[in-house]
Amino acid sequence: MKITRTQNLLAAVFVGVLAFVTTIAQAADPLPSWNDGKSKQSIIEFVGKVIKEGLPDFVPVAERIATFDNDGCLWSEQPMYFQAFFIFDRIKHLAPQHPEWKYKEPFASVLKGNVKAALSGGEHALVEMAMATHAGTTTEEFEKIVTDWITTARHPKTRRLFTEMVYQPMLELLAYLRANGFKTFIVSGGGIEFMRPWAERVYGIPPEQIIGSSIKTKFELRDGKPVLVRLPEINFVDDKAGKPVGIQMHIGRRPIAAFGNSDGDLQMMQWTAAGKGARFCLYVHHTDAEREWAYDRKSHVGRLDKGLDEAKEKGWTVVDMKKDWKRVFPIQKSE
Amino acid sequence: MKITRTQNLLAAVFVGVLAFVTTIAQAADPLPSWNDGKSKQSIIEFVGKVIKEGLPDFVPVAERIATFDNDGCLWSEQPMYFQAFFIFDRIKHLAPQHPEWKYKEPFASVLKGNVKAALSGGEHALVEMAMATHAGTTTEEFEKIVTDWITTARHPKTRRLFTEMVYQPMLELLAYLRANGFKTFIVSGGGIEFMRPWAERVYGIPPEQIIGSSIKTKFELRDGKPVLVRLPEINFVDDKAGKPVGIQMHIGRRPIAAFGNSDGDLQMMQWTAAGKGARFCLYVHHTDAEREWAYDRKSHVGRLDKGLDEAKEKGWTVVDMKKDWKRVFPIQKSE
């Protein structure tokens, strides 16, 4: 069959119209990386009913507070929390100033590259390493240290920057909520000053909307110049029952939506769900061993056990990462 | 002289035009309760230079952080901090449940109406009274207690509601800054949960932008219902060297403008002033014994001594309440 010039033209117009229609359809979908299904539907239904004035579940803008866990909810957390990579890198960097570390655990194991041995000391060892690497600087110095690290350090398995291992569907969700008048907060067990230097650029969440664990700081005048010195003393642990405490301290208002992925988020969910009016709780369930990791009830990092039971019992949304997400990271493996 | 109908009409039109012109002039002045002078000029000049893109002092919206002390800066603080009136009222209210208070200081003095004796125990006595009246409830219960009190309690001298003793020029300043992209925070030595229930209504500042002193809270499930219980244990004192610590903890970003009235605000000013780029520090100096109170270097409440010297030395703005403010409170005495 011979194709005339007119047919060609018509075909071109048709393709153009099709592309246009597709663009419109995509623009209309605020969550393009989410497969259609229960999870996506539950999000859109919740937002729809709280933003419409006149509906019984309407919530004024000032009260549209949404809180997000970070590790395992907004970015990956395997084979260990990304902040632990930062701690180990800092120990190696600071080792010349600490010759005693060669013979002192857990530092000696870190310097030998034996992560497992370094972590075998449990929470006590971790706190010791965190203090040795997070304290002793001013807040300004620490911000620069984190910024330098996060712009260069790479994940040992994916070889990507850690900030490239954020979840594309969750970035879309953050943007979708904000476009609908929500104020989005991070409520993480991770260090507050470890997240702040990059969270605004990566998640669009400003430092005043980051809640996390912290060490104490002290105001000092150094040669007449005021500084805040970071002290090797725990101030607040923003995990489990600490999350509602941190939320009240920083926000002073109960969230209407909470997002997490582990038992460490359960109390935040309970606190959120117990408020009056429409509430939304969502667990990200790590079910995708191929594109990310698969783990839940027995994992040492990000264990989701009690939370999974309670989510099912209470009808909270549980995201099946493998089924619900079209893509996981902003840059896909094949790219 | 006989006034014709035409003359009458012309006069009416003239009055109308005059009223219109006056309205325009008032609308153009964002700080109508401030007399023209150095203080008002310094505010307008500062805002003008940080909001104009292209100018060397331009500051992006996200970094336009302004922090305000509360007692003596946004509302009055004489003859004692208004929260102290709340404490005394609570002691009287709770007395039937505490028969031992009749014989136990400082409670016994409060119940006898002897404020001076009650306060003679100094900080220790004050902390004891604060704990007895601020702890032991859930956060929700405490919010209701504060709301009920603030909507009915009156100042002993003015007989006005305490929330009517906020400063009209400062309300205009808050609104002016916000209209120019600033995020306004309260950074007060007062109780964070004492301010939050009414600060949004009165100052337009939401709970997540209130920083203050606090007691510890604990997450609990009571009959399956999650609550945050207020404990009789100090968590954080947001005064003096504590203010920059509180600012870093809650905001994570250095303010570009700070407003206070006492030596308790000095470290906040120093911290603010030491940042790079344009900075603005302002002290409200209480010089108006007739319309408000006059006090500074020797006052027990809101002492302004070192701060006054440093403000003069560093060229910070010092508001002379008597000269700089056309009116003090939203409702004037004669009204």
Side-chain angles (χ1 to χ4, degrees):
Chain A
M1 195 177 82
K2 215 181 157 189
I3 294 165
T4 64
R5 200 166 155 254
T6 311
Q7 277 173 324
N8 250 339
L9 197 71
L10 276 172
V13 167
F14 180 75
V15 168
V17 167
L18 196 70
F20 178 74
V21 168
T22 308
T23 305
I24 291 289
Q26 278 170 348
D29 182 356
L31 302 170
S33 299
W34 292 71
N35 284 314
D36 290 330
K38 267 190 193 173
S39 294
K40 182 174 179 169
Q41 198 184 332
S42 71
I43 296 168
I44 289 172
E45 276 178 12
F46 171 74
V47 171
K49 68 184 175 185
V50 298
I51 63 170
K52 288 207 191 78
E53 212 154 348
L55 288 193
D57 287 322
F58 174 73
V59 177
V61 165
E63 293 168 26
R64 290 184 206 155
I65 303 290
T67 53
F68 288 79
D69 175 46
N70 184 40
D71 298 303
C73 180
L74 295 179
W75 73 355
S76 296
E77 58 179 354
Q78 294 288 0
M80 59 184 183
Y81 296 128
F82 292 175
Q83 196 171 354
F85 289 110
F86 170 75
I87 289 174
F88 293 160
D89 283 353
R90 288 302 297 160
I91 288 174
K92 287 170 202 158
H93 182 86
L94 293 168
Q97 298 160 47
H98 295 274
E100 76 279 10
W101 282 357
K102 268 188 193 158
Y103 314 102
K104 193 187 168 194
E105 288 299 348
F107 304 96
S109 291
V110 174
L111 297 176
K112 282 178 208 142
N114 191 339
V115 168
K116 206 176 165 186
L119 292 175
S120 67
E123 197 176 328
H124 175 77
L126 201 62
V127 168
E128 202 181 345
M129 291 188 283
M131 291 303 148
T133 51
H134 283 63
T137 60
T138 67
T139 47
E140 281 192 324
E141 288 161 355
F142 188 73
E143 186 184 339
K144 189 180 174 332
I145 289 167
V146 172
T147 303
D148 290 348
W149 183 83
I150 202 85
T151 49
T152 55
R154 285 177 183 273
H155 190 275
K157 188 183 162 196
T158 66
R159 305 309 305 164
R160 290 197 189 279
L161 294 176
F162 291 105
T163 49
E164 291 172 344
M165 295 179 69
V166 298
Y167 304 134
Q168 177 63 26
M170 296 305 280
L171 297 181
E172 292 166 8
L173 179 52
L174 285 167
Y176 173 55
L177 290 173
R178 288 195 292 258
N180 284 287
F182 281 76
K183 209 166 189 174
T184 52
F185 288 80
I186 287 179
V187 179
S188 167
I192 189 168
E193 301 296 11
F194 174 74
M195 295 181 280
R196 279 172 165 166
W198 50 270
E200 190 159 29
R201 171 174 61 84
V202 175
Y203 300 134
I205 300 182
E208 65 268 27
Q209 285 159 230
I210 310 280
I211 306 169
S213 298
S214 58
I215 56 177
K216 288 194 187 295
T217 63
K218 186 173 171 280
F219 179 85
E220 266 182 30
L221 290 177
R222 281 187 181 171
D223 303 324
K225 194 192 165 228
V227 292
L228 285 169
V229 182
R230 293 171 58 79
L231 306 176
E233 194 185 336
I234 289 176
N235 177 60
F236 180 63
V237 178
D238 190 47
D239 197 27
K240 299 186 177 73
K243 290 206 174 193
V245 171
I247 287 170
Q248 181 62 28
M249 181 55 60
H250 286 257
I251 311 178
R253 196 167 243 161
R254 200 191 293 245
I256 64 165
F259 304 83
N261 73 295
S262 79
D263 285 356
D265 304 312
L266 181 55
Q267 288 86 347
M268 171 170 77
M269 305 275 188
Q270 292 169 333
W271 179 241
T272 301
K276 281 172 204 153
R279 302 282 151 164
F280 188 77
C281 294
L282 179 150
Y283 263 125
V284 172
H285 189 192
H286 292 262
T287 53
D288 196 329
E290 201 186 320
R291 296 185 301 176
E292 208 240 5
W293 282 272
Y295 58 96
D296 48 32
R297 295 185 189 272
K298 284 173 185 171
S299 176
H300 286 290
V301 175
R303 176 172 302 178
L304 179 61
D305 182 30
K306 283 182 193 173
L308 200 53
D309 293 335
E310 194 153 331
K312 284 175 183 172
E313 188 193 314
K314 297 195 171 162
W316 299 340
T317 295
V318 178
V319 168
D320 182 332
M321 196 182 258
K322 192 173 180 176
K323 276 173 55 186
D324 286 335
W325 287 359
K326 270 189 201 139
R327 67 195 301 169
V328 175
F329 301 120
I331 307 167
Q332 302 200 74
K333 260 187 189 167
S334 57
E335 289 170 47
Chain B
M1 195 177 83
K2 220 181 156 190
I3 297 165
T4 65
R5 203 166 154 253
T6 311
Q7 277 171 324
N8 250 338
L9 199 69
L10 276 173
V13 168
F14 179 75
V15 169
V17 167
L18 196 71
F20 178 73
V21 168
T22 309
T23 306
I24 292 288
Q26 279 171 345
D29 182 356
L31 302 171
S33 300
W34 292 70
N35 284 313
D36 290 330
K38 268 190 193 172
S39 295
K40 181 173 180 171
Q41 199 183 332
S42 71
I43 295 167
I44 289 172
E45 275 177 15
F46 171 75
V47 171
K49 68 185 176 185
V50 299
I51 63 170
K52 289 208 188 79
E53 213 155 348
L55 287 194
D57 288 321
F58 174 73
V59 176
V61 165
E63 294 169 24
R64 290 185 206 153
I65 304 289
T67 53
F68 288 79
D69 174 47
N70 184 38
D71 299 303
C73 180
L74 295 180
W75 72 355
S76 297
E77 59 181 353
Q78 294 288 2
M80 59 183 184
Y81 296 128
F82 292 175
Q83 195 171 355
F85 289 111
F86 171 75
I87 289 174
F88 293 159
D89 283 353
R90 288 302 297 160
I91 289 174
K92 287 170 203 159
H93 183 86
L94 293 168
Q97 296 160 50
H98 294 273
E100 75 280 10
W101 282 357
K102 267 188 193 159
Y103 314 101
K104 193 186 168 196
E105 289 300 345
F107 304 97
S109 290
V110 174
L111 296 178
K112 281 178 210 142
N114 191 340
V115 168
K116 207 176 164 185
L119 292 174
S120 66
E123 198 175 326
H124 174 78
L126 202 61
V127 168
E128 201 181 345
M129 289 189 285
M131 292 304 148
T133 51
H134 284 63
T137 59
T138 68
T139 49
E140 280 191 323
E141 288 162 354
F142 189 71
E143 187 185 339
K144 189 181 176 327
I145 289 168
V146 172
T147 303
D148 289 348
W149 183 82
I150 202 84
T151 48
T152 55
R154 287 179 181 270
H155 189 277
K157 189 184 160 192
T158 66
R159 304 310 306 165
R160 290 197 188 279
L161 294 176
F162 291 104
T163 49
E164 290 172 344
M165 294 178 71
V166 298
Y167 304 134
Q168 176 64 24
M170 297 305 281
L171 297 182
E172 292 167 8
L173 179 53
L174 285 167
Y176 173 55
L177 290 174
R178 288 195 292 259
N180 284 287
F182 281 76
K183 209 166 189 174
T184 52
F185 288 81
I186 287 179
V187 180
S188 166
I192 189 168
E193 301 296 13
F194 174 73
M195 297 181 280
R196 279 171 165 166
W198 50 270
E200 191 160 28
R201 171 174 61 84
V202 175
Y203 300 134
I205 300 182
E208 65 268 28
Q209 285 159 228
I210 310 279
I211 306 169
S213 297
S214 57
I215 56 176
K216 288 195 189 295
T217 63
K218 187 174 172 279
F219 179 85
E220 266 183 31
L221 290 176
R222 282 188 180 170
D223 302 323
K225 192 191 165 230
V227 291
L228 286 169
V229 182
R230 295 171 58 78
L231 306 176
E233 193 185 337
I234 290 177
N235 177 60
F236 181 62
V237 178
D238 190 47
D239 196 27
K240 299 189 176 70
K243 290 207 172 190
V245 171
I247 287 170
Q248 181 62 29
M249 181 56 59
H250 286 256
I251 310 178
R253 197 167 241 163
R254 200 190 293 245
I256 64 165
F259 303 82
N261 73 297
S262 79
D263 285 355
D265 304 312
L266 182 55
Q267 287 87 346
M268 171 170 77
M269 304 277 187
Q270 292 170 333
W271 179 242
T272 301
K276 282 173 202 152
R279 301 283 150 164
F280 189 77
C281 294
L282 180 150
Y283 262 125
V284 173
H285 189 190
H286 292 262
T287 53
D288 197 329
E290 201 185 320
R291 294 185 300 176
E292 208 239 4
W293 282 272
Y295 57 97
D296 48 32
R297 296 186 190 273
K298 286 174 184 168
S299 177
H300 286 290
V301 175
R303 176 173 302 180
L304 179 61
D305 182 29
K306 285 181 191 172
L308 199 53
D309 293 335
E310 195 155 332
K312 284 176 183 172
E313 189 193 314
K314 297 194 170 162
W316 297 341
T317 296
V318 178
V319 168
D320 182 333
M321 196 181 256
K322 192 174 179 176
K323 276 172 58 186
D324 286 337
W325 287 359
K326 268 187 205 145
R327 67 195 299 170
V328 175
F329 301 120
I331 307 166
Q332 302 199 72
K333 261 186 188 166
S334 56
E335 290 169 48

